[in-house]
């Protein structure tokens, strides 16, 4: 399951940069200790339960190092897996396996951690209309993989970057002189530039919600750091005239109450900025000279 922003070109460019960063002028540990023609096989072992994400990267990584590497996925991205499960097997040049192991595990573990947390939170809001969103709080140069992992975990991507949606946050509004000024300037900008972008406005209280509604042309209103009671009032006030998004410090303990306010979306930055990687190991099971 690949979102449109995950292209072969971008995946290969990412892997090329990452391998160059790690390998430099050579994996001297493997070059020194392993015969050039040695063939080995191994497998990925789950050390904890979770949602797997990132297996598609195996072919991109390992085939750059050994085009003949045999890769066998025993599960697919997005699957729930258990501690002790063997999820993947590979066989090929031993040096290539060792040189690609850490990059593959780094990506797989982080993506699976994000997918697992996303799955956990989506389960907590089941039965409500709310959809779970990620944010731009991603690791530099890892956004493609991290947002992909959110999708694999059952979440929904927010804007990908600064270019594909207008989001007028508190600082934009304050610097512009208020929500009305910021929105009106934005509408004029989009008209002048000939751009068709959705407009979202952050609000901090019900008075700002009313201002966002009054100025008009706002596609989504963010309810930032409001209590569930305030959000309930805001959703009733908006009454379908704009989409609604809850944001601000939402956790597993609070997300259900937020979803029950009737908001359309809930954004959680912690999906990507404060995640624990899933524990996965690559184990060698044979060595042939």
């Amino acid at each position: 399951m690949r979102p449109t922003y995950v292209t072969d070109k971008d995946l290969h460019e990412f892997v090329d940069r990452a391998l160059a960063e790690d390998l430099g002028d050579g994996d001297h540990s493997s070059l020194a200790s392993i015969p050039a023609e040695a063939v080995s096989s191994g497998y990925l072992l789950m050390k904890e339960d979770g949602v797997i994400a990132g297996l598609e990267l195996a072919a991109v990584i390992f085939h750059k190092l050994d085009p003949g590497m045999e890769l066998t996925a025993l599960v697919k991205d997005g699957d729930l897996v258990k501690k002790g499960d063997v999820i993947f097997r590979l066989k090929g040049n031993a040096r290539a396996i060792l040189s690609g192991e850490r990059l593959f595990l780094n990506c797989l573990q982080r993506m699976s951690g994000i997918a697992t947390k996303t799955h956990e939170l989506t389960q907590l809001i089941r039965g409500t209309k709310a959809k779970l969103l990620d944010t731009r709080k991603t690791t530099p140069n890892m956004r493609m993989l991290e947002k992909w992992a959110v999708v694999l975990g059952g979440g929904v991507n927010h804007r990908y970057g600064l270019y594909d949606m207008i989001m007028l946050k508190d600082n934009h509004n304050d610097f512009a002189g208020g929500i009305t000024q910021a929105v009106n300037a934005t509408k004029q900008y989009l008209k002048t530039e000939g751009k068709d972008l959705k407009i979202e406005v952050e609000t901090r209280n019900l008075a700002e919600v009313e201002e966002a509604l009054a100025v008009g042309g706002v596609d989504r209103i963010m309810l930032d750091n409001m209590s569930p009671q305030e959000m309930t009032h805001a959703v009733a006030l908006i009454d379908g005239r704009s989409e609604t998004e809850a944001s601000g410090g939402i956790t597993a303990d609070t997300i259900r109450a937020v979803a029950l306010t009737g908001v359309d979306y809930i954004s959680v930055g912690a999906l990507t900025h404060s995640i624990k990687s899933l524990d996965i190991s690559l184990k060698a099971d044979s060595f042939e000279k």
Side-chain angles (χ1 to χ4, degrees), residues 43-48 51-53 55 81 85 87 101-102 104-113 277-283:
Y43 58 94
L44 290 181
L45 178 68
M46 296 303 305
K47 307 294 283 294
E48 59 183 317
V51 176
I52 202 69
L55 288 176
V81 293
D85 285 353
I87 63 168
E101 170 189 6
R102 180 44 50 199
F104 183 40
L105 284 176
N106 283 348
C107 295
L108 188 69
Q109 288 175 308
R110 179 154 185 81
M111 288 181 69
S112 297
S277 294
L278 210 61
D279 195 359
I280 307 169
S281 292
L282 191 153
K283 302 290 187 183

Side-chain angles (χ1 to χ4, degrees), residues 10-121:
D10 288 334
L11 283 178
H12 281 275
E13 288 179 353
F14 168 78
V15 170
D16 286 341
R17 288 194 304 269
L19 285 174
E21 175 185 62
D22 205 25
L23 294 178
D25 70 347
D27 173 8
H28 298 300
S29 303
S30 299
L31 292 170
S33 62
I34 306 296
E37 302 306 318
V39 172
S40 185
S41 62
Y43 58 94
L44 290 181
L45 178 68
M46 296 303 305
K47 307 294 283 294
E48 59 183 317
D49 300 350
V51 176
I52 202 69
L55 288 176
E56 277 198 56
L57 287 166
V60 184
I61 294 169
F62 287 111
H63 285 164
K64 287 182 182 294
L65 300 167
D66 174 8
M69 185 81 70
E70 298 174 19
L71 305 170
T72 305
L74 304 177
V75 298
K76 63 182 183 299
D77 284 331
D79 281 354
L80 283 164
V81 293
K82 298 289 186 183
K83 179 180 179 180
D85 285 353
V86 173
I87 63 168
F88 194 86
R89 291 191 174 275
L90 70 170
K91 181 177 181 179
N93 182 271
R95 287 180 176 179
I97 292 175
L98 292 167
S99 295
E101 170 189 6
R102 180 44 50 199
L103 173 58
F104 183 40
L105 284 176
N106 283 348
C107 295
L108 188 69
Q109 288 175 308
R110 179 154 185 81
M111 288 181 69
S112 297
I114 291 169
T116 298
K117 186 64 176 180
T118 302
H119 175 76
E120 172 192 331
L121 294 184

Side-chain angles (χ1 to χ4, degrees), residues 77-256:
D77 284 331
D79 281 354
L80 283 164
V81 293
K82 298 289 186 183
K83 179 180 179 180
D85 285 353
V86 173
I87 63 168
F88 194 86
R89 291 191 174 275
L90 70 170
K91 181 177 181 179
N93 182 271
R95 287 180 176 179
I97 292 175
L98 292 167
S99 295
E101 170 189 6
R102 180 44 50 199
L103 173 58
F104 183 40
L105 284 176
N106 283 348
C107 295
L108 188 69
Q109 288 175 308
R110 179 154 185 81
M111 288 181 69
S112 297
I114 291 169
T116 298
K117 186 64 176 180
T118 302
H119 175 76
E120 172 192 331
L121 294 184
T122 56
Q123 292 305 298
L124 292 174
I125 59 175
R126 285 183 65 185
T128 72
K129 67 183 289 191
K131 295 181 175 64
L132 181 65
L133 293 177
D134 55 17
T135 71
R136 284 173 48 249
K137 296 176 182 176
T138 55
T139 309
N141 296 318
M142 286 281 290
R143 180 170 297 175
M144 175 178 62
L145 301 188
E146 292 179 347
K147 281 186 168 284
W148 185 9
V150 168
V151 173
L152 290 169
V156 176
N157 294 146
H158 208 309
R159 60 178 177 164
Y160 191 81
L162 291 169
Y163 57 85
D164 57 348
M165 182 180 183
I166 298 286
M167 183 184 287
L168 301 175
K169 303 200 66 158
D170 52 358
N171 284 338
H172 294 94
N173 298 328
D174 291 344
F175 288 168
I179 288 173
T180 300
Q181 293 90 328
V183 173
N184 282 334
T186 295
K187 288 190 285 189
Q188 183 58 51
Y189 169 83
L190 293 175
K191 181 179 179 181
T192 300
E193 296 296 322
K195 291 187 176 296
D196 182 20
L197 298 175
K198 299 285 189 181
I199 300 174
E200 178 168 3
V201 174
E202 178 178 334
T203 62
R204 295 164 287 195
N205 51 56
L206 292 177
E208 290 189 345
V209 171
E210 290 177 339
E211 185 177 358
L213 289 169
V215 71
V218 176
D219 298 286
R220 186 181 302 174
I221 296 176
M222 178 189 290
L223 311 174
D224 190 52
N225 283 300
M226 294 187 189
S227 69
Q229 293 76 21
E230 288 176 300
M231 287 184 197
T232 299
H233 290 149
V235 169
L237 185 64
I238 294 165
D239 193 27
R241 286 178 283 176
S242 295
E243 294 179 332
T244 53
E245 176 186 332
S247 182
I250 296 165
T251 68
D253 292 331
T254 60
I255 194 168
R256 181 76 185 177

